Amino acid sequence: EVGSLVGKTTSLLSELFHRVIAIDKMAENHQYAKQSGVGSKGNVMWMTADIYRDPWQMILAGNDVQFVMLDAGHSEALVMADLRACLGLQSVQLILIHDFNFPEVRQAVQKMSTLVEVISPLGSLRYIPEHERARF
C-alpha cells in the first residue's frame, strides 16, 4: 500500500492478504495505526519513506508484490511517477488507484494507458506485458 496514512485501508488489506507492506512518509501515521490495532495479526510491514525521494520500488524489488493500492500524490506528475515505480516491480499484476475521480489522477492513468490496461471504472490497472502492447 503506497500512501497508508493512518491505516484504515491497511487494516482492510491485512484481512485480505497474507502480507501487507504499508508505505507512508510520516512515521507518526504508522504509530497511530499500530496503536489503533492495525497490523495486530503480524502481517503488516511498516515502511517509512518519501516515495518521491527514496527508491522504495528498488527496496521491494526482491519481494513478490502482486497487488498495489496506490493512494499517494494526486497531481498528474506524481501519479505518473507512482505508476512508473509500481511497474518497476516485476511481480505486480494489479494496481488499484484511490481517488480515480480526481481529474489529474484520471489524466495520469490515461497517459499511462499504453503501458497498462484500465480494467474497471474504479481505476484498476493491469500491467500489459511487452509482447501484448500496441505498437504506435
Side-chain angles (χ1 to χ4, degrees):
E1 178 187 18
V2 181
S4 57
L5 198 58
V6 295
K8 290 182 180 180
T9 305
T10 311
S11 179
L12 174 65
L13 295 173
S14 72
E15 294 296 323
L16 298 172
F17 295 100
H18 175 70
R19 180 178 55 186
V20 175
I21 302 168
I23 307 171
D24 199 85
K25 186 177 181 177
M26 308 293 289
E28 303 84 48
N29 288 339
H30 291 159
Q31 286 302 110
Y32 178 86
K34 288 185 227 177
Q35 290 169 355
S36 300
V38 178
S40 61
K41 291 172 44 176
N43 64 337
V44 177
M45 181 184 96
W46 304 97
M47 183 175 163
T48 302
D50 179 343
I51 64 168
Y52 303 110
R53 187 194 72 206
D54 303 326
W56 62 272
Q57 70 278 16
M58 295 182 80
I59 294 167
L60 298 179
N63 292 276
D64 186 23
V65 177
Q66 297 177 6
F67 171 83
V68 176
M69 171 65 186
L70 190 56
D71 187 13
H74 292 85
S75 73
E76 183 178 322
L78 293 181
V79 173
M80 288 180 70
D82 296 341
L83 289 170
R84 283 188 194 99
C86 290
L87 294 175
L89 298 168
Q90 295 299 311
S91 55
V92 168
Q93 296 177 25
L94 186 68
I95 303 167
L96 181 66
I97 301 172
H98 191 261
D99 299 318
F100 190 66
N101 58 317
F102 289 22
E104 288 195 61
V105 173
R106 282 182 179 266
Q107 289 169 347
V109 171
Q110 181 61 38
K111 286 187 177 178
M112 296 292 289
S113 66
T114 59
L115 299 177
V116 295
E117 176 184 4
V118 179
I119 58 173
S120 84
L122 295 176
S124 301
L125 302 177
R126 178 184 72 87
Y127 179 73
I128 300 174
E130 186 76 32
H131 68 278
E132 291 181 23
R133 293 182 193 167
R135 304 287 179 209
F136 297 98

